[in-house]
Amino acid sequence: MIGTFQVRTDLALEARESYEEDDARIRGVKIQETEDPEKEIYTTVVKIETENGARAMGKPVGTYITLEAPNLSVPDEGCHREISREIARHVGDLLGEGTGGVLVVGLGNREVTPDALGPEVVNHLRITRHMIREFGRASVLQEGEKSVSAIVPGVMAQTGMETLEIVKGIVKQTEPDAVVVIDALAARSTRRLNRTIQITDAGIHPGSGVGNHREGISREILGIPVIAIGVPTVVDAATIVNDTMETLVEALDRSDEMKKLGGMLGNLDRAEKYQLIQELISPHLNTMFVTPKDIDDTIRRLSFTISEGLNLAFSSGEKQE
Amino acid sequence: MIGTFQVRTDLALEARESYEEDDARIRGVKIQETEDPEKEIYTTVVKIETENGARAMGKPVGTYITLEAPNLSVPDEGCHREISREIARHVGDLLGEGTGGVLVVGLGNREVTPDALGPEVVNHLRITRHMIREFGRASVLQEGEKSVSAIVPGVMAQTGMETLEIVKGIVKQTEPDAVVVIDALAARSTRRLNRTIQITDAGIHPGSGVGNHREGISREILGIPVIAIGVPTVVDAATIVNDTMETLVEALDRSDEMKKLGGMLGNLDRAEKYQLIQELISPHLNTMFVTPKDIDDTIRRLSFTISEGLNLAFSSGEKQE
Amino acid sequence: MIGTFQVRTDLALEARESYEEDDARIRGVKIQETEDPEKEIYTTVVKIETENGARAMGKPVGTYITLEAPNLSVPDEGCHREISREIARHVGDLLGEGTGGVLVVGLGNREVTPDALGPEVVNHLRITRHMIREFGRASVLQEGEKSVSAIVPGVMAQTGMETLEIVKGIVKQTEPDAVVVIDALAARSTRRLNRTIQITDAGIHPGSGVGNHREGISREILGIPVIAIGVPTVVDAATIVNDTMETLVEALDRSDEMKKLGGMLGNLDRAEKYQLIQELISPHLNTMFVTPKDIDDTIRRLSFTISEGLNLAFSSGEKQE
Amino acid sequence: MIGTFQVRTDLALEARESYEEDDARIRGVKIQETEDPEKEIYTTVVKIETENGARAMGKPVGTYITLEAPNLSVPDEGCHREISREIARHVGDLLGEGTGGVLVVGLGNREVTPDALGPEVVNHLRITRHMIREFGRASVLQEGEKSVSAIVPGVMAQTGMETLEIVKGIVKQTEPDAVVVIDALAARSTRRLNRTIQITDAGIHPGSGVGNHREGISREILGIPVIAIGVPTVVDAATIVNDTMETLVEALDRSDEMKKLGGMLGNLDRAEKYQLIQELISPHLNTMFVTPKDIDDTIRRLSFTISEGLNLAFSSGEKQE
């Protein structure tokens, strides 16, 4: 029941799950799941193909690839290398062959640990654009390699500017063929934190990300392909309240003595439930997030894994594996 | 009701509030409240004088001074200067006049924003001990000024050592007259986050702080006075669940249609309630914390305010104001 | 003699000194010196008014204000406040009254301590532009206060882009009325390090700054006023070689036995001297810089002093003093 | 000639070179050089076996292993892996088989880029000591693996304490079997910067390191083996002056017209030369250092390579190769 209350999620995977409870198939949305048990990587490709599908999913038309890897949050070097290769493969596919120059945008606030994913990824990238301009493409890049530039724009409280304004200005001035944005996301469930990577050609959308962008960054707006790579590193504090409510109802249902109570809660009509949840979410909570205590290690590992994936994709990503 | 469920708090103020609901006065505990409406600083001094009081409060014997200042979380320079002076005054009082050398310990993890308070405070301190050794006390310090040393020990995941081991070793080797530890605390309520400073001569105790120390740092263990300065910068994620439950019951009570339901929840006996809460708190949540999105600004301001207070206290703190 | 060998300096003051040795007055250049003995601030205003003056000085037409304050490199809070006020006054004068919105650009590499001045200044700025857009100018700013935005673009090795490309793109997109750039400079003499602030309306020019910009940032290029604030935090390693040669000649002259030798060195003709110096400067040295060991403290203090100056200038800088 | 003037070097290799110019063999000192042309690693082992050798070399008795690898300063991952293995092998040999617990000490100032090597190495280490205490040795470590703890003590200006005081206190309290200290060194020649690693069982000595320790850290003082790993990341500014003088004399000798002059400089007697150099070295220079402009990239790569070497050495280093 309470699942229908709108909790923000940046993951298409979670949007689908929420929908699926009511109806298994949505017109205009194709879903394909593959599992690599050996590497322990579970891949879900959600293709939203029509405006109808977009409305149903609450996400724009596009391809959403989700890699789930339990090992992503543990320090297993071999496993991380596999994930880097997967990232490279998908980013290479989405970029296509004609892309010569890529601008990578590391979104987020480097001063707030779980929001520092984007800036940290940019730290580890191999930047080549300036060398090409100085020494010539032939002496810097190999066949098929991309010219790479990058920016860490900072967040609005630091810059006074929308990220979109900064990115749009730089894109117009430096004319890359594609933009890749990296962002820390807010997940709906603590279960997905730091073990899920979403890669999409649908860009970044208003209200997504830890910092809650007010304007999106997408192909429609920039005029060139925009690939967004996101990892959920926080859960909105309000989500915790929602999860608690769900668990409460389940718990009440399981306990014989409490069943009547649970039934009553479950029987509240939609408006009553909505009012109840609104009261439970204190205004404070909307400005807070929940994150694991070892988030510093996690961000360090994740940023390294993603930047390796991008370095592979930009050097000769298409031919990977 | 649910307030009696044991949620961790590092604040004596909150321990008192929780108790007070049942019984207004506790033997062995003295409480004094003062309000400075002009400066908007509310001071509560809790003196736990006997073992009985300590048991009742769940805190060791000692003096706990709590400064509450709504303006602590806003960028008002004048207000922060007032708070620095208050800190200086209280730290000076607790240190007493005979203290020649102070070791400041900045607890916490500088890589995790809300836990970086201690390390950041140490960054801004005026360190003098090494200069005294080189140039002589007379040429470095003024009458009554203290010799100041400082250490940022890091957290156990970074060092493999208990903070206490590090501090104990350094104290034995360098023989300060007193230790001042700075730590980011976990509060029980989001309402107190980043606007409350606790100063106590009771030291730091197991299970307190964002990082959850396994061993305390106190006068009993180190053999010299230990003053602890703490600011709640996070709320345990489990606390949010508890708060939600409390609000739920209140909400149910307010709504006529829901009153019956609320009454039933309220009528669950202690064991049932405890079981219910336990089920609601997922094991994940115990490794997570909740913190505001602008925690970077807050830590920067707070660390500056506290270090100014300490610099004042160590130069001629007693004569302040 | 060797002083005529062209060592790079970003300070108009030093350009003038070098010239002055040959000829005291240059047409098209006006110099005014004032001293405030109480505050220990020495101010030199060099106005390059004509192209002739610009050629002679090797600097573009413009006003160059240099504040020299020996206390800038010591931790004296009162003194720093005076300097902040001086900065505010000069920046206010150069901006003029009509300026509504200012974009501050923190040049340099935040990962290299002496080059982190610009990024650190931006860290402490009061950013208002985004609040104006959200809440309206009247509720955010006071009469005469400026809308402030800021960017830390990073250096070319990190971004693959010229700083100018980034700034130009952002200026076109966000349309500020003026740009203020902050940069760490290379001085010609270790004597000026960290105790001199240059404020100019002539912008930043190719080859200046620690990172050696390849393209300038100026009013001609951006179409709006560009005020540059610079502090020399490093000396080019090559400069040290030059200084050594000068001192060598002086030393030789002072020592009776060595006088003959010094005379001979002094009598080398221009071409010989130039060849000699070139040989002395190993190619390695061109990629190196010289900086004081306590540069971390210095950058922290300087960035605070400058950001305070800018905050004053942007709130009501003109009325300062 | 001027080479005999005492310029500080932390590298035994350089101490030997300076001596060798006068006399090829020193009693009590054994030198062995090996070259691995494929991996481009040049290894020099200097064994100072007697007090006579120690006096001659100006270094304490001990084994000094120097790895020179031109590729150390370039981003070649394969090469760095080879160097990590070499480090692991030598550290394993010096530690011996009986070592159960190691304390790693990351010396230096994390706020000053070229001095941040030690702190950065510690950042990447696998720390296990606390897990052993919690879960038992068998469940955490494999056969032969070491219990690892680490500390970043900070520099004297930050702590007011000698590093030795901090380390001694922690060693007494936590009782490791050996200490490994990592430090950024000052080299005598810019040629060796960031491409040379020195590993020694002779510890750290007064006046060494970028920060110039006043007291040493060695087996004699701590009572347990102390292995020091150092990389020269700066050159003392005074060294540049010395290098310049050497080059000057050589340059003068090569130029026919200048030969006479060079000859005269060369003929100055020892006292005259010493006086000359002293005059050339301004007091400012003693508080300054010279470092490459890309020192941030270099420190990042070096710290990763060394920490990988240590992680290998501590897990099963002896069996490497």
Side-chain angles (χ1 to χ4, degrees):
Chain A
M1 68 163 225
I2 291 159
T4 53
F5 169 65
Q6 199 56 43
V7 169
R8 182 160 86 77
T9 175
D10 295 329
L11 294 174
L13 198 68
E14 290 185 338
R16 181 187 65 103
E17 282 166 359
S18 146
Y19 196 92
E20 229 176 6
E21 286 163 24
D22 297 0
D23 182 359
R25 296 175 66 187
I26 310 165
R27 260 181 304 175
V29 178
K30 279 193 192 147
I31 293 160
Q32 183 196 338
E33 298 181 16
T34 53
E35 183 176 339
D36 186 330
E38 202 186 325
K39 299 180 190 164
E40 289 195 81
I41 301 176
Y42 307 84
T43 306
T44 309
V45 180
V46 176
K47 285 199 181 173
I48 304 181
E49 296 180 327
T50 65
E51 280 309 316
N52 178 58
R55 258 193 313 279
M57 297 285 286
K59 299 266 157 206
V61 167
T63 300
Y64 299 81
I65 299 153
T66 312
L67 307 177
E68 288 178 275
N71 293 327
L72 196 55
S73 61
V74 298
D76 174 338
E77 210 181 310
C79 154
H80 281 253
R81 205 165 298 138
E82 291 299 342
I83 298 168
S84 294
R85 286 209 192 95
E86 283 293 293
I87 294 170
R89 191 166 63 85
H90 291 298
V91 170
D93 286 352
L94 291 178
L95 277 180
E97 293 208 357
T99 315
V102 179
L103 170 67
V104 181
V105 181
L107 296 178
N109 182 348
R110 68 168 86 227
E111 307 289 336
V112 174
T113 318
D115 202 18
L117 181 73
E120 285 297 312
V121 167
V122 165
N123 264 4
H124 302 304
L125 283 182
R126 202 167 90 86
I127 303 296
T128 52
R129 181 176 178 273
H130 61 303
M131 294 193 292
I132 293 167
R133 287 160 63 101
E134 189 157 9
F135 304 110
R137 171 171 287 271
S139 66
V140 173
L141 298 186
Q142 296 190 304
E143 179 69 28
E145 209 173 337
K146 284 153 193 54
S147 155
V148 181
S149 57
I151 189 81
V152 173
V155 297
M156 207 156 56
Q158 294 165 339
T159 65
M161 300 180 278
E162 283 281 344
T163 304
L164 178 62
E165 294 179 295
I166 297 172
V167 174
K168 212 192 257 180
I170 293 174
V171 164
K172 279 188 195 162
Q173 202 68 35
T174 66
E175 301 187 331
D177 299 310
V179 165
V180 174
V181 295
I182 320 292
D183 202 7
L185 303 180
R188 183 171 150 177
S189 153
T190 56
R191 193 167 50 87
R192 287 232 165 67
L193 279 187
N194 303 319
R195 39 165 57 196
T196 305
I197 299 176
Q198 175 173 278
I199 305 169
T200 175
D201 59 3
I204 290 272
H205 290 278
S208 62
V210 172
N212 238 338
H213 309 291
R214 291 201 300 207
E215 299 180 25
I217 302 176
S218 66
R219 179 173 207 145
E220 288 70 51
I221 293 168
L222 293 183
I224 51 174
V226 175
I227 295 174
I229 302 181
V231 178
T233 63
V234 306
V235 173
D236 269 347
T239 299
I240 298 286
V241 173
N242 187 68
D243 287 357
T244 304
M245 289 300 295
E246 290 197 26
T247 320
L248 171 62
V249 171
E250 285 170 25
L252 292 173
D253 270 355
R254 274 201 305 279
S255 153
D256 255 3
E257 296 96 287
M258 298 188 200
K259 198 160 233 161
K260 206 162 41 177
L261 193 66
M264 289 180 70
L265 265 178
N267 288 332
L268 296 180
D269 72 19
R270 215 190 147 80
E272 284 169 331
K273 280 175 222 157
Y274 188 77
Q275 181 202 338
L276 182 57
I277 297 283
Q278 283 302 87
E279 294 200 48
L280 291 178
I281 297 176
S282 92
H284 283 303
L285 280 185
N286 288 324
T287 63
M288 302 210 177
F289 62 77
V290 181
T291 201
K293 285 174 183 172
D294 62 351
I295 187 68
D296 54 333
D297 285 340
T298 305
I299 291 292
R300 191 182 305 142
R301 270 199 304 273
L302 278 172
S303 64
F304 194 72
T305 303
I306 294 174
S307 61
E308 282 302 284
L310 290 180
N311 284 335
L312 276 173
F314 298 154
S315 58
S316 53
E318 299 86 358
K319 302 148 206 160
Q320 281 312 310
E321 194 72 351
Chain B
M1 66 164 231
I2 290 159
T4 54
F5 169 65
Q6 199 56 45
V7 169
R8 184 161 86 77
T9 174
D10 295 328
L11 294 175
L13 197 70
E14 289 185 338
R16 181 187 66 103
E17 281 167 359
S18 146
Y19 196 93
E20 230 176 7
E21 287 163 24
D22 297 0
D23 181 359
R25 294 175 69 188
I26 309 165
R27 258 179 306 172
V29 178
K30 280 194 190 143
I31 293 159
Q32 185 196 336
E33 298 182 15
T34 54
E35 185 176 338
D36 185 331
E38 200 186 325
K39 299 180 190 164
E40 287 196 84
I41 302 177
Y42 308 85
T43 306
T44 310
V45 180
V46 176
K47 284 198 182 176
I48 305 183
E49 296 179 328
T50 66
E51 281 310 315
N52 177 58
R55 258 193 314 278
M57 296 285 287
K59 300 266 158 207
V61 166
T63 299
Y64 299 81
I65 298 152
T66 312
L67 308 177
E68 289 177 274
N71 293 328
L72 196 54
S73 60
V74 299
D76 174 338
E77 210 181 309
C79 154
H80 281 253
R81 204 164 298 138
E82 290 299 343
I83 298 169
S84 294
R85 286 207 192 99
E86 283 294 292
I87 294 170
R89 191 166 62 85
H90 291 299
V91 170
D93 286 352
L94 292 177
L95 277 178
E97 293 209 357
T99 314
V102 179
L103 170 67
V104 181
V105 181
L107 296 177
N109 183 349
R110 67 169 87 228
E111 307 290 337
V112 174
T113 317
D115 201 19
L117 180 73
E120 286 297 313
V121 166
V122 165
N123 264 4
H124 302 304
L125 283 182
R126 202 167 91 87
I127 303 296
T128 52
R129 181 175 177 273
H130 61 303
M131 294 193 292
I132 293 167
R133 286 160 63 102
E134 189 157 8
F135 304 109
R137 172 171 287 271
S139 65
V140 174
L141 299 186
Q142 296 190 305
E143 180 71 25
E145 208 172 338
K146 284 154 194 50
S147 155
V148 180
S149 57
I151 188 82
V152 173
V155 296
M156 207 156 56
Q158 293 165 339
T159 65
M161 300 179 279
E162 283 281 343
T163 304
L164 178 62
E165 294 180 294
I166 298 172
V167 173
K168 212 192 257 180
I170 293 173
V171 164
K172 279 187 195 163
Q173 203 66 38
T174 65
E175 301 187 330
D177 299 310
V179 165
V180 173
V181 295
I182 320 292
D183 202 7
L185 303 179
R188 183 170 150 177
S189 154
T190 56
R191 191 166 51 88
R192 286 231 166 68
L193 279 187
N194 303 318
R195 41 167 54 197
T196 306
I197 298 176
Q198 176 172 277
I199 305 168
T200 174
D201 59 3
I204 289 274
H205 290 277
S208 62
V210 173
N212 237 339
H213 310 291
R214 292 200 301 207
E215 299 180 25
I217 302 176
S218 65
R219 178 172 208 148
E220 288 71 51
I221 293 168
L222 293 182
I224 51 174
V226 175
I227 295 173
I229 302 180
V231 178
T233 63
V234 305
V235 173
D236 270 348
T239 298
I240 298 287
V241 174
N242 187 69
D243 287 358
T244 305
M245 288 300 296
E246 289 196 28
T247 321
L248 172 61
V249 171
E250 286 170 25
L252 292 174
D253 270 355
R254 275 201 306 277
S255 154
D256 257 1
E257 295 96 290
M258 297 187 202
K259 198 161 232 161
K260 203 163 43 180
L261 195 66
M264 288 180 71
L265 264 179
N267 288 334
L268 296 180
D269 73 20
R270 212 188 151 80
E272 284 170 332
K273 280 175 221 157
Y274 187 79
Q275 183 204 336
L276 183 57
I277 297 283
Q278 282 303 84
E279 292 200 49
L280 292 178
I281 297 175
S282 93
H284 283 303
L285 280 186
N286 288 323
T287 63
M288 302 209 177
F289 61 78
V290 181
T291 202
K293 286 175 181 169
D294 62 351
I295 187 68
D296 54 333
D297 284 341
T298 306
I299 292 291
R300 190 181 307 141
R301 271 199 302 273
L302 278 172
S303 64
F304 194 72
T305 304
I306 294 175
S307 61
E308 281 302 284
L310 291 180
N311 285 335
L312 276 175
F314 298 154
S315 59
S316 53
E318 300 87 358
K319 303 149 206 157
Q320 282 311 311
E321 194 76 349
Chain C
M1 66 162 228
I2 292 159
T4 54
F5 168 65
Q6 200 56 43
V7 169
R8 182 161 86 77
T9 175
D10 295 328
L11 295 174
L13 197 69
E14 290 185 338
R16 181 187 66 103
E17 281 166 359
S18 146
Y19 196 93
E20 229 177 6
E21 287 163 24
D22 297 359
D23 182 1
R25 296 175 67 186
I26 309 165
R27 260 180 304 175
V29 178
K30 278 193 193 148
I31 293 160
Q32 183 197 338
E33 299 181 16
T34 53
E35 184 177 338
D36 186 332
E38 201 186 324
K39 298 180 192 164
E40 288 196 81
I41 301 177
Y42 308 83
T43 306
T44 310
V45 180
V46 177
K47 285 198 183 174
I48 305 182
E49 297 180 326
T50 65
E51 280 311 315
N52 177 59
R55 259 193 313 281
M57 297 285 286
K59 300 265 156 208
V61 166
T63 300
Y64 299 82
I65 298 153
T66 312
L67 308 177
E68 288 178 276
N71 293 330
L72 195 55
S73 59
V74 299
D76 174 338
E77 210 181 309
C79 154
H80 282 253
R81 205 164 299 139
E82 290 298 342
I83 298 169
S84 294
R85 286 207 192 98
E86 283 294 292
I87 294 171
R89 191 167 62 85
H90 291 298
V91 169
D93 286 351
L94 291 178
L95 277 179
E97 294 208 358
T99 315
V102 179
L103 170 67
V104 181
V105 181
L107 296 177
N109 182 349
R110 69 168 85 227
E111 307 289 336
V112 174
T113 318
D115 201 19
L117 181 72
E120 285 297 313
V121 166
V122 165
N123 263 4
H124 303 305
L125 283 182
R126 201 166 91 88
I127 303 296
T128 52
R129 181 177 178 271
H130 59 305
M131 293 193 293
I132 293 167
R133 286 161 63 101
E134 190 156 8
F135 304 110
R137 172 172 287 269
S139 65
V140 173
L141 298 186
Q142 297 190 303
E143 178 71 26
E145 209 173 338
K146 285 154 192 53
S147 154
V148 181
S149 57
I151 188 82
V152 173
V155 296
M156 206 158 55
Q158 293 165 339
T159 65
M161 301 180 278
E162 283 282 343
T163 304
L164 178 61
E165 294 179 293
I166 298 171
V167 174
K168 212 191 257 178
I170 294 173
V171 164
K172 278 187 197 163
Q173 203 67 37
T174 65
E175 301 187 331
D177 299 309
V179 165
V180 173
V181 295
I182 319 292
D183 202 8
L185 303 180
R188 183 170 151 178
S189 153
T190 56
R191 193 166 49 88
R192 288 231 166 67
L193 280 186
N194 303 319
R195 39 165 59 194
T196 306
I197 298 175
Q198 177 173 278
I199 305 168
T200 175
D201 59 4
I204 289 273
H205 291 277
S208 63
V210 173
N212 238 337
H213 310 290
R214 292 201 299 206
E215 298 179 27
I217 302 175
S218 65
R219 179 173 207 146
E220 288 71 52
I221 294 168
L222 293 183
I224 50 175
V226 175
I227 295 174
I229 301 181
V231 177
T233 63
V234 306
V235 173
D236 269 348
T239 299
I240 298 287
V241 174
N242 186 69
D243 287 357
T244 305
M245 288 300 295
E246 288 196 30
T247 321
L248 172 62
V249 171
E250 286 169 25
L252 292 174
D253 269 356
R254 274 200 305 279
S255 153
D256 256 1
E257 297 97 286
M258 298 187 200
K259 197 160 231 163
K260 205 162 41 178
L261 195 66
M264 289 179 69
L265 266 178
N267 288 332
L268 296 179
D269 71 21
R270 215 190 148 81
E272 285 169 331
K273 281 174 223 159
Y274 187 78
Q275 182 203 338
L276 183 58
I277 298 283
Q278 283 302 85
E279 294 201 47
L280 292 179
I281 297 175
S282 92
H284 283 304
L285 280 186
N286 288 323
T287 63
M288 302 209 175
F289 62 76
V290 182
T291 201
K293 286 174 182 170
D294 62 350
I295 187 68
D296 54 333
D297 284 340
T298 306
I299 292 292
R300 190 181 307 140
R301 272 198 302 272
L302 278 172
S303 63
F304 194 72
T305 304
I306 294 174
S307 61
E308 281 302 285
L310 291 180
N311 285 336
L312 276 175
F314 298 155
S315 59
S316 53
E318 300 86 359
K319 303 147 206 159
Q320 282 310 310
E321 189 83 349
Chain D
M1 67 163 230
I2 291 159
T4 54
F5 169 66
Q6 200 56 43
V7 170
R8 183 160 86 79
T9 175
D10 296 328
L11 294 174
L13 198 69
E14 290 184 339
R16 181 188 65 103
E17 282 166 359
S18 146
Y19 196 94
E20 228 177 6
E21 286 163 25
D22 297 0
D23 181 359
R25 297 175 66 189
I26 309 165
R27 261 181 303 174
V29 178
K30 279 193 191 146
I31 293 160
Q32 186 197 336
E33 299 181 14
T34 53
E35 185 176 337
D36 186 331
E38 202 186 323
K39 299 180 192 163
E40 287 196 82
I41 302 177
Y42 308 85
T43 307
T44 309
V45 180
V46 177
K47 284 198 182 174
I48 303 182
E49 297 179 328
T50 65
E51 281 310 316
N52 178 58
R55 260 192 313 280
M57 296 285 286
K59 299 267 158 206
V61 167
T63 299
Y64 299 82
I65 299 153
T66 313
L67 308 177
E68 288 178 274
N71 293 329
L72 196 54
S73 59
V74 298
D76 174 337
E77 211 181 309
C79 155
H80 281 252
R81 205 165 297 140
E82 290 299 343
I83 298 169
S84 294
R85 286 207 192 99
E86 283 293 292
I87 294 170
R89 191 166 63 86
H90 291 300
V91 170
D93 286 351
L94 291 178
L95 277 179
E97 293 208 357
T99 315
V102 179
L103 171 67
V104 181
V105 181
L107 296 178
N109 182 349
R110 67 168 88 229
E111 307 289 336
V112 173
T113 318
D115 202 19
L117 181 72
E120 285 297 313
V121 167
V122 165
N123 264 4
H124 302 304
L125 284 182
R126 201 167 92 84
I127 302 297
T128 52
R129 181 176 176 273
H130 61 304
M131 294 193 292
I132 294 167
R133 287 160 62 102
E134 190 156 8
F135 304 109
R137 171 171 287 271
S139 64
V140 173
L141 299 186
Q142 296 190 305
E143 178 71 25
E145 209 173 337
K146 284 153 194 52
S147 155
V148 180
S149 57
I151 188 83
V152 173
V155 297
M156 207 155 55
Q158 294 165 338
T159 65
M161 300 179 278
E162 283 281 343
T163 304
L164 178 61
E165 294 179 293
I166 298 171
V167 174
K168 211 192 257 179
I170 293 173
V171 163
K172 279 186 194 163
Q173 203 68 36
T174 65
E175 301 187 330
D177 298 310
V179 165
V180 174
V181 295
I182 320 292
D183 201 8
L185 303 180
R188 183 171 149 178
S189 154
T190 56
R191 192 167 50 86
R192 288 231 165 67
L193 279 186
N194 303 320
R195 41 166 55 195
T196 305
I197 298 175
Q198 176 173 279
I199 305 169
T200 175
D201 59 3
I204 289 272
H205 290 278
S208 62
V210 172
N212 237 339
H213 310 291
R214 291 201 301 206
E215 299 179 24
I217 302 176
S218 66
R219 179 171 207 149
E220 288 70 52
I221 294 167
L222 294 183
I224 51 174
V226 176
I227 294 173
I229 301 180
V231 177
T233 62
V234 306
V235 173
D236 269 348
T239 299
I240 298 286
V241 173
N242 187 69
D243 287 358
T244 306
M245 287 301 295
E246 288 197 29
T247 321
L248 170 62
V249 172
E250 285 169 25
L252 292 175
D253 270 355
R254 274 202 304 280
S255 152
D256 256 2
E257 294 98 286
M258 299 186 200
K259 196 162 234 164
K260 204 161 43 179
L261 194 68
M264 289 180 71
L265 265 178
N267 288 333
L268 296 180
D269 72 21
R270 214 189 148 82
E272 285 168 332
K273 280 174 221 157
Y274 187 78
Q275 183 203 337
L276 182 58
I277 297 283
Q278 282 303 84
E279 293 199 47
L280 292 179
I281 297 175
S282 92
H284 284 303
L285 280 186
N286 288 322
T287 62
M288 302 208 176
F289 61 77
V290 182
T291 201
K293 286 174 182 170
D294 62 351
I295 187 66
D296 54 334
D297 285 340
T298 306
I299 292 292
R300 191 182 304 143
R301 271 198 303 272
L302 278 172
S303 65
F304 194 72
T305 303
I306 294 174
S307 62
E308 281 303 282
L310 290 180
N311 284 336
L312 275 174
F314 297 154
S315 58
S316 53
E318 301 84 358
K319 302 148 207 159
Q320 283 311 313
E321 189 85 348

